[in-house]
Every structure is written in C-alpha cells, then in structure tokens.
Amino acid sequence: MDISIGVLDCCILEALWHSRLPKSFNLILEDRPQTRVGHPTSSNYHFTMSASFPYIHISCPCNEERPQIMAVDSARPLSPTKSPTKRDFAVPVPSTPLTPVKRRLFPGTSSFDGTVATSGDADGERNDEEDDEDEENNFDPHDQRAAFSLFPIENLLYCEDCHQIRCPRCVTDEIVCWYCPSCLFEVPSSTVKSDGNRCTRNCYLCPICTALLVVIPVNHIPSSSSAAEQQQGPFNLFCSHCHWTTSDLSPPLQLEKPTSISAQLAKVTPSAHDAEFNRLKQHYAQQLGNAQEDFTNSPAALTRLMGLYTGLGAGGSGHAGGRKGRGVKKLEMKEIDRPREVVEEREMEIVEQMAKLGIHATTNTKQRLNQPHEPRFLSELRPTAVLLRTKRSKRCRACRHILVKPESKVQTTRFRIRLVALNYIPSLTIKRLDPSIQLSSLVPHKTHRFLLTVTNPLFDPISVSLLTPRYTPGTDYPSRVTILCPEFDVGANTDVWDDALMSTRTPAPVPTPPPQGNKDPRMATVYEQKRNYTSVVIEVVPAEIPDTRVARIRDERLLEIPIFVRVEFEAEVDREDEEGGGGGTSSTSGKHGAPGSSGGGGNPLGREKVEYSYWCVVGVGRVGDPVEGVVASEPNTPVRTPVATPVKAPRTPGVSKTPLRQQVRA
Amino acid sequence: MAPRSSAPLPPLSIDPTALLSDAISFSGSYPVTIGSNTVLHPRSKFNSTDGPIIIGSNCIISEKTQLIAPGVDGLVLEDFVLVEVNCHIQAARIGEGSSIEVGVKVGKASRIGNNCTLSPLSTIPDGTNLPDFTVIYGENDRRIDTSDTVTARNETLLAHIDCLQKLLPNKAEKYTR
C-alpha cells in the first residue's frame, strides 16, 4: 500500500475489506421467519420469509382486541381480588377501534353467539358478490398491521385467566435474575446497577472471534512439574479458537495471577478514554448532587440541568456575556462544547501504521463495535467481559397473571410456570400432498393440494371449523382457496398407550365420534384421522401474479392464506373458579344462561361448552411464473379430487371478534 | 463390522504401535502408511485410489473423516496432526502439529503448513497454500498464531492419544494380513 493514501481512503478500504457478508448471514435470514417480531413492515418479513415454506403463523388477538384489553385493564382496580373471567371479555364492547382499519368495521359486533356461525353454515350457497362483501371481515395477512400480531405458535403464550392467546407484545417481562452465561454465577441486581451488565469475575471473550478466553501460563510448563510450579506466572489470556493471546497486544498484556482477572486488567489497561469517562461520570454525579440540594427552592437548578444538554449552561454563558443571577458553581465541563480536535500527527501516525502493517492488522466492524473505544488496529483490542444474561418471567398485560416463570436458580433450565399456547390451542401444520409441488414457485392456475393437519393438545376431543375466504384477500390477484372438509373432529390428546390398551379391552370407543347424521356429507372428506390429529385437504389455485418484488415493497407473489379456526369442546371446569369471577355479569351475555348457584355449590366439577377461535395465516409458498399449458380452469373437478367431492368453504362468520369462551350448562 | 472381503485392501504398512479400530475403510490400490503411535478411529475412511496416503506418527484421525489422496504424489499427514470428526481432506500435505477440527473441508491438492489450526466447519479451497501457524477461524478469516503454544498442544495431543489407547480396542491385526 502506498504511504500517500489518506485517512479517508484507508477508512474506505478498510470498510470494503471488512464488509464481506459473513457466511452465516443467510442462515440468519432463514431463521428469521421463526421470529417475526418487530418487523416494521410486512415487506420486511416477506422478503426474509421466502426462505422456508410452508409456515403457519397465528394471529394474536391483540390485533383486533385492543379496546377490550384496555377495558379490562381499567376495570381491574374496581375488583382487585377477582380475576377477570371470560365474561369480562364477553361484554359487548362498542367497536370503536383505536385506529381505523377497514376490516375492523364489523357489521355487528355484539357478543358472538352460535347463531352467527350456524347462519354461516346455513347459507353456504352464497353468491360471489356476497363473498366479496364478506372480505371486509377477513383477516388480511398482507396488511401492514397484521405483521405485528402474527407469530409462529411456538412464540405464543396462553393466559388461562383471560382465555386468550398472548403474543410477545401482550406480555410484560420481569427480570428474575442476572447471571453470567459462562460461569453461571448469579449477579445481584445491586451489583448490576453499580458495576454494569458485564461479568465481573473471570469471564472474558476474545476480541477477535468472541470465543471464551482461558488463562494459560506464558511460558510452557511441562505437565510433569509440580502444582506449585504451575501456579507461577506470568499468565496470558488465550483464545482456544483463534489462538489469540493477550501477548499479541501492544504492549503485551500479561497477568501475574490466574485469578481475579478483572481487577488485574483494570489496573493494567488504563486508557485516555477511561479517564475521560470517569471524569464525565464524576461531573454528572456532582451535578446530580447539586441539583438535588437546590431543587426544592430554585428554578435555576432546573434551567441549569436543561442547559447541560442544550449548551446554554455555564459553558455557554461564558461567551454569551454571562447571565446574571445564576448563583451556581461553574462545574460544567468546558470540553463538551469544544469540537473534537484532530491532531494531524496522530492521524499521520495511523496512516503510516496502516501502510506498514497492512489491512490485516486493522479491526473489522464487528470487532470495533464490540470494543468501548472503537480501536483501529488489532493490537489495540482488549478482552471484553462477558455480557450478563437475564431470566425473565412474563405476565399477561391484561390480567397481570404470570404466564412464564423460570426457576430462579441459574443452573436449572426448568420453569415453574409455562403456559405456552402449544398446550392450549390446536396447532396447524401443512404439507404437500404431491411432493412434486415446488413451494417456491407454485404454478398459476394449477390446482395444488395440501394436507392441513390439526393437532389437538387438549385432553378433550374438539370439533374444529376451518373457515377461509374463497379468494385470498388483500391482493389484486386473488388466488382461489378451498378447504375440502372445513368441519371435523379431532380426538383427544390421550396417552399414546391408552388407545392400545383400550383396543384390547373394549374395542368400542372410537376416539372421535362418527359424523352426525344431520350434517352434510362434507364431514366424510377427512383425509386422515389419528389419535389426536385430523388432516384435511386444502386446494389452492394460485392466480397469475406479476413479479412485483423489484417495483414494490411487498411481494405480491407470496401466497398467504388466512384461515379462521374455530374450536368447540366440552371441558370439565372448576365451577368454583368460574363462578367467582362473573356471577354478576352473566346476565349481560345472553347465551350464557343462568349458571345456577345451586349447581355451583355442591358439584365443583361441571362440564361446560368452550368455544374459541383465532385467525392464522398459512404461507403456502410463492407463486412462480405461469407455465404454458396450464390455463385457467374451474378448479375442484371431482375427477381430480382424490378423497371426495369438494365442498365450498362456508362463509367466514361476520364477527371474528369472538368472546373466547361460551358457557352452556351441560 | 469387518472390512469387506470382496474389495481387496490396499497395501498397508502399519507401525506396530499404531492403534487401528474396527471398521476402518481402506479403498484404492496405492499404499497407505501409518506411523507410530497414531490412532485411527472407527469408520474413518482412507481412499488411495489416486495416490498413496502417508500418515505420520502421533496423529489422530477421527470418525467419519475421509482422507482422499488427490493425486499420484499422494496425501502426506505429518506428525502430531489431529483430524477431528467429519472432515473431508484431499490435501497434498498437512504440516506437523496442525489440527483440523470438526467438519473441515480441505480442498484438492492444498498444502497446509506446520502448526496450523482450521477451526470447525471452515473450508479450504482447492490448491491453497497455507503458511505455517495460520489459524482459520470464524467466517474463514485468517490470522497468524503467535501464541507459542505448540509444545503445550503437542503435549495434550500425546495425552489424548494415551487416553485413546486405553479406551479403544486395537484391531490392527485385522488389517495386517
């Protein structure tokens, strides 16, 4: 490298050199779909999403029900002893959404009762016009807001008191403890406040490759020598991954003892930056002390505090001619206002050093950002102490009940409480019926068949209705979607051995009841039914969609199907618990009937009909370019249907904001 | 599992102090030489179809690792080389005291210098020449090892071999006809 290269050029060169994308970058992207949290726009996740098809994300009720949550929150102080029950949620909330989103304008947002759903079944023969109108109520996965409430089921929790799914946005975190991930020592919160969020023991990371450093003697001691000899220094910190040692620093850093490294390092490596930081810290501590003593009677103190940041304080008063009446000591740092000086000699030194040592001796961005003072050369890197981690418990934002509580002991990974949604709501999975389907390029106009499997985690058999708009909403190029069997039963999540043992003794009980006679033949089209899961066929005919990824932010070709899942089952419920909450409000929601107090007293266990529902989004794949020979045709011809005659998915119920539980005396 | 009797073993010259476990697969027709005190784990694979394989003394070749001679000049592993699990090695030479860690791919006819360390899952392109004391780490980043820990590492390797010799049953006689 030529010595005439300026500082700027060096920086650019450096940046270029280090800007190679790490290999793991793609892997990170592939992982992203699992954590859909915090994507500001749906476009973002659409881009990252395309890595892994198919995926199923479940919409947290916070997408729709923010007003309700607020109602509960405000109601909370009135009855601090009782937990809000389902009735609190069943109270008809006038639909005044916080933000006017189109699909929130439901025609009737009164309490959800079974009639709405059955009416949906009854007029299954609706015409397309009405369906279009119906789309107003459909969940639009392309909606920008939707991206914030869609999560894979693994990320969701379930509040047993609200009977609601809770996404990471609907819970509050509380830190149970701080600990060092490498030495697994718990750090008390007072120490965290005083000493910062890094391990103060002997855990240090390699500044080059971020592996853990170990202490080794500088001079090799043969293993045959005695223990006393092995305790003799000096010692190095050594990275067993990239073989970096503290001797590589300039000047070489060697420790006298193999223990209490933090103290030794602090002594050995004082820097100008540290000194400056300490001065600043002292300065602000002093300011704070002064402010506290005269806050009570002087508004000047407040102005002065403000002035600290705006530059109108004492530092500014010097050249502004001084404001009178400021009886405040001049403690402010003069350096704050001053522009940072660039010493030319020092910069030239850097350039020369770069020219001499070459680009390999400079730090890359990652390394530089990990260090407190952004060093330019590898020889200036210092071991970094391990960042502490926390264990957190999570509370429901609405009812403040704890949803997740880990053991406070650092070494155990168990949880005391862990109400994950996987144990409460049926999970959906989707797979190709025909393995030749390319999920990343679905053929327009071709009928793709997928197998949608609903798995029941509950110990009661459930009946499930899957409702989906006939055409995918929220896009100009709707694809046709048909669930061949939208209503079916899923067996209870019994012990695996139960079935086997049952079959030897009494062959009679089938895990799921046979379809009732009064239902129509669509019940017969269940593709596969096993112990606690049922599979049905879903047909997708993608539309021909132009590739808009370049022109627009969002990927029109991404085929996401919203499915409304409604689950009904009869559960044994602790009646005492149920009555305690909502005896008074039961009259407001008509369907509940009167839960007679006579029944409640003697019989603690009652059966009640529970019903809940949620939206989920199935990302089946990405529509590819049209293929010649495959033309638009009427899908679902019975010839091509392997299982039975297809049926149209019934209309999505007009109300998607359902109270999560309905109670009917069994 | 004994080696297939159907496929003849390549000519082997195995030092009597070497430890060969069960189910090592040798294929090819060029000779394979194994030095003293070397440990070959079960299911390591040696392919000498295109050239000879020479393994020095005090080496460890782990399971599922393939050593493939890249050409007529053969593959030479010098002394004190540790090859970890799942590696795929087609190098021409691996220098003394190098350690090839888990899942490393060493490209065809590349030459690894002495005392190099290839950290897990790194890849060496074909025909690379790595100077002595090179460390490949992270995203195939390189640095020169100045830690002066060679003797210590060799000592640990010897202790490792010592331990393996106690643990692994020696089936060397299976391969020496």
Side-chain angles (χ1 to χ4, degrees):
Chain A
M1 196 189 301
D2 197 343
I3 196 152
S4 63
I5 292 179
V7 179
L8 192 68
D9 298 41
C10 274
C11 293
I12 293 169
L13 255 177
E14 237 179 298
L16 282 176
W17 173 259
H18 294 304
S19 68
R20 297 156 297 166
L21 274 187
K23 198 169 62 181
S24 65
F25 192 64
N26 287 327
L27 294 174
I28 295 167
L29 286 185
E30 278 162 24
D31 286 342
R32 279 311 272 270
Q34 297 307 313
T35 56
R36 199 168 172 163
V37 197
H39 285 304
T41 59
S42 50
S43 66
N44 241 341
Y45 81 76
H46 285 169
F47 177 67
T48 54
M49 197 70 42
S50 53
S52 60
F53 289 120
Y55 55 86
I56 295 195
H57 288 166
I58 288 177
S59 170
C60 174
C62 66
N63 190 45
E64 299 285 349
E65 308 217 349
R66 227 163 311 154
Q68 286 198 3
I69 289 168
M70 289 179 68
V72 171
D73 242 348
S74 58
R76 180 88 187 136
L78 296 177
S79 53
T81 50
K82 73 170 191 190
S83 59
T85 60
K86 59 187 180 300
R87 286 188 191 85
D88 293 337
F89 292 89
V91 171
V93 178
S95 177
T96 46
L98 291 178
T99 45
V101 178
K102 206 168 126 201
R103 66 163 184 283
R104 289 214 173 148
L105 304 173
F106 301 123
T109 325
S110 59
S111 72
F112 180 87
D113 51 11
T115 54
V116 174
T118 45
S119 76
D121 284 357
D123 42 37
E125 295 304 313
R126 317 184 106 248
N127 56 34
D128 279 3
E129 247 173 67
E130 271 172 301
D131 263 354
D132 286 346
E133 174 198 308
D134 189 40
E135 269 174 29
E136 302 281 302
N137 304 326
N138 284 333
F139 184 84
D140 174 13
H142 285 275
D143 189 82
Q144 301 232 327
R145 194 171 283 279
F148 290 104
S149 73
L150 285 171
F151 294 92
I153 191 169
E154 294 83 5
N155 290 16
L156 293 171
L157 301 172
Y158 186 86
C159 179
E160 277 192 329
D161 291 275
C162 310
H163 304 293
Q164 289 269 35
I165 299 168
R166 291 282 174 239
C167 72
R169 292 200 305 162
C170 305
V171 295
T172 50
D173 281 33
E174 282 167 23
I175 291 171
V176 176
C177 67
W178 281 267
Y179 67 97
C180 166
S182 105
C183 61
L184 289 182
F185 263 84
E186 191 180 333
V187 182
S189 61
S190 56
T191 318
V192 175
K193 272 179 194 140
S194 61
D195 294 354
N197 57 344
R198 289 180 186 269
C199 182
T200 50
R201 296 164 56 82
N202 299 327
C203 311
Y204 278 88
L205 298 180
C206 172
I208 305 267
C209 67
T210 66
L212 197 72
L213 295 171
V214 290
V215 182
I216 58 157
V218 171
N219 305 310
H220 176 64
I221 302 159
S223 53
S224 52
S225 58
S226 66
E229 270 179 70
Q230 289 185 12
Q231 285 301 308
Q232 300 215 330
F235 295 92
N236 264 342
L237 289 175
F238 173 71
C239 171
S240 48
H241 186 69
C242 70
H243 296 200
W244 180 85
T245 68
T246 43
S247 296
D248 290 353
L249 295 172
S250 63
L253 198 158
Q254 290 177 349
L255 306 170
E256 276 150 27
K257 291 179 291 178
T259 50
S260 62
I261 293 167
S262 297
Q264 291 186 71
L265 276 181
K267 243 187 283 168
V268 180
T269 62
S271 77
H273 298 93
D274 285 336
E276 195 177 324
F277 177 75
N278 281 333
R279 242 151 54 81
L280 266 176
K281 202 171 150 193
Q282 262 179 7
H283 163 74
Y284 282 116
Q286 212 172 356
Q287 288 289 331
L288 195 67
N290 284 337
Q292 270 162 357
E293 81 193 21
D294 55 11
F295 243 135
T296 44
N297 49 8
S298 98
L302 189 65
T303 359
R304 192 166 50 83
L305 267 186
M306 306 289 276
L308 271 182
Y309 299 103
T310 54
L312 293 170
S317 70
H319 49 78
R323 296 187 200 167
K324 59 185 177 78
R326 300 197 45 175
V328 184
K329 308 116 222 166
K330 301 230 160 119
L331 285 165
E332 284 77 2
M333 299 244 309
K334 299 283 190 309
E335 298 92 321
I336 280 174
D337 289 343
R338 228 176 276 159
R340 200 162 187 181
E341 280 174 31
V342 178
V343 185
E344 200 178 324
E345 285 162 29
R346 169 78 191 127
E347 295 296 309
M348 279 316 290
E349 225 171 78
I350 290 173
V351 173
E352 271 172 45
Q353 215 174 341
M354 273 185 189
K356 202 170 77 194
L357 299 172
I359 209 85
H360 291 282
T362 57
T363 52
N364 66 23
T365 333
K366 248 192 222 166
Q367 292 164 349
R368 206 176 305 171
L369 292 176
N370 270 332
Q371 297 278 319
H373 316 310
E374 307 206 348
R376 210 174 264 280
F377 294 100
L378 289 180
S379 55
E380 293 167 10
L381 292 171
R382 277 194 255 139
T384 46
V386 173
L387 275 172
L388 299 181
R389 291 194 188 165
T390 55
K391 281 191 165 189
R392 286 150 188 260
S393 64
K394 294 182 194 294
R395 278 178 194 276
C396 172
R397 261 188 214 278
C399 68
R400 313 292 298 162
H401 273 82
I402 291 182
L403 305 180
V404 173
K405 191 177 178 65
E407 289 266 3
S408 58
K409 237 176 111 186
V410 175
Q411 283 88 348
T412 54
T413 52
R414 275 199 296 266
F415 287 83
R416 282 199 200 141
I417 303 168
R418 189 172 48 171
L419 308 175
V420 291
L422 262 177
N423 296 338
Y424 291 92
I425 62 172
S427 55
L428 274 74
T429 47
I430 192 164
K431 63 181 180 192
R432 296 169 287 191
L433 252 186
D434 174 9
S436 65
I437 295 175
Q438 292 275 318
L439 291 175
S440 50
S441 65
L442 301 171
V443 183
H445 306 309
K446 195 184 159 205
T447 309
H448 299 269
R449 278 196 199 85
F450 295 92
L451 205 56
L452 197 63
T453 305
V454 180
T455 312
N456 181 11
L458 302 165
F459 299 109
D460 302 291
I462 56 172
S463 63
V464 177
S465 327
L466 301 178
L467 309 164
T468 181
R470 195 181 301 168
Y471 290 97
T472 51
T475 171
D476 297 337
Y477 313 96
S479 303
R480 199 186 162 96
V481 181
T482 316
I483 298 176
L484 296 194
C485 172
E487 285 181 13
F488 50 88
D489 294 324
V490 186
N493 184 18
T494 48
D495 194 347
V496 184
W497 289 104
D498 276 5
D499 278 352
L501 295 172
M502 290 273 257
S503 62
T504 55
R505 281 183 299 166
T506 50
V510 184
T512 52
Q516 287 118 46
N518 56 355
K519 294 272 176 160
D520 47 34
R522 74 181 65 154
M523 291 295 281
T525 59
V526 167
Y527 187 83
E528 189 186 12
Q529 193 158 32
K530 286 282 166 64
R531 187 173 59 90
N532 71 333
Y533 68 87
T534 303
S535 303
V536 293
V537 176
I538 178 168
E539 278 189 345
V540 180
V541 186
E544 203 175 313
I545 305 171
D547 200 342
T548 57
R549 263 199 301 189
V550 186
R552 286 197 226 167
I553 306 169
R554 88 179 204 197
D555 185 6
E556 288 281 355
R557 283 193 163 186
L558 188 78
L559 189 54
E560 286 190 319
I561 303 167
I563 295 180
F564 185 71
V565 185
R566 209 178 69 230
V567 181
E568 277 180 39
F569 62 97
E570 282 195 351
E572 274 181 7
V573 168
D574 190 352
R575 293 196 57 84
E576 305 263 4
D577 191 34
E578 289 300 314
E579 294 314 303
T585 52
S586 65
S587 57
T588 53
S589 48
K591 191 76 199 297
H592 286 164
S597 54
S598 57
N603 178 18
L605 281 181
R607 295 198 66 84
E608 64 164 16
K609 197 171 179 191
V610 181
E611 173 184 321
Y612 60 84
S613 51
Y614 54 91
W615 278 101
C616 68
V617 170
V618 181
V620 232
R622 212 171 160 266
V623 182
D625 294 319
V627 173
E628 270 190 49
V630 183
V631 286
S633 64
E634 189 55 33
N636 311 329
T637 46
V639 186
R640 283 184 286 159
T641 313
V643 277
T645 42
V647 281
K648 201 174 69 174
R651 167 185 117 88
T652 314
V655 182
S656 67
K657 188 194 281 185
T658 65
L660 282 180
R661 297 189 111 186
Q662 291 288 324
Q663 190 178 36
V664 171
R665 288 297 304 275
Chain B
M1 197 168 42
R4 298 277 148 73
S5 53
S6 55
L9 287 174
L12 299 173
S13 77
I14 299 170
D15 191 279
T17 54
L19 193 160
L20 277 76
S21 339
D22 211 351
I24 301 171
S25 112
F26 291 101
S27 55
S29 49
Y30 279 94
V32 176
T33 315
I34 292 161
S36 63
N37 222 13
T38 286
V39 176
L40 308 188
H41 277 266
R43 288 175 212 289
S44 49
K45 300 187 184 82
F46 297 82
N47 186 341
S48 61
T49 316
D50 297 327
I53 296 177
I54 299 157
I55 292 168
S57 57
N58 299 311
C59 294
I60 300 176
I61 315 288
S62 305
E63 289 174 21
K64 290 181 167 182
T65 281
Q66 292 188 53
L67 297 182
I68 302 163
V72 200
D73 294 335
L75 160 59
V76 181
L77 251 74
E78 294 182 4
D79 302 348
F80 292 100
V81 174
L82 166 66
V83 184
E84 293 260 19
V85 175
N86 241 345
C87 296
H88 187 270
I89 293 171
Q90 285 189 288
R93 170 193 177 246
I94 290 178
E96 199 182 308
S98 292
S99 76
I100 318 289
E101 289 171 19
V102 177
V104 170
K105 287 192 169 52
V106 183
K108 228 174 180 176
S110 49
R111 307 180 76 81
I112 312 289
N114 296 342
N115 302 306
C116 289
T117 302
L118 313 185
S119 70
L121 294 175
S122 45
T123 3
I124 310 295
D126 292 357
T128 318
N129 272 324
L130 282 192
D132 294 356
F133 290 101
T134 307
V135 181
I136 307 278
Y137 69 98
E139 322 284 352
N140 279 337
D141 293 325
R142 290 184 190 185
R143 65 185 300 274
I144 298 296
D145 177 7
T146 52
S147 65
D148 197 22
T149 49
V150 175
T151 38
R153 269 188 288 147
N154 286 351
E155 212 167 84
T156 20
L157 189 67
L158 285 179
H160 190 172
I161 292 172
D162 227 43
C163 173
L164 287 178
Q165 278 176 338
K166 283 174 196 141
L167 290 175
L168 286 177
N170 193 351
K171 297 282 171 72
E173 73 278 4
K174 272 172 106 167
Y175 308 97
T176 48
R177 280 164 289 181

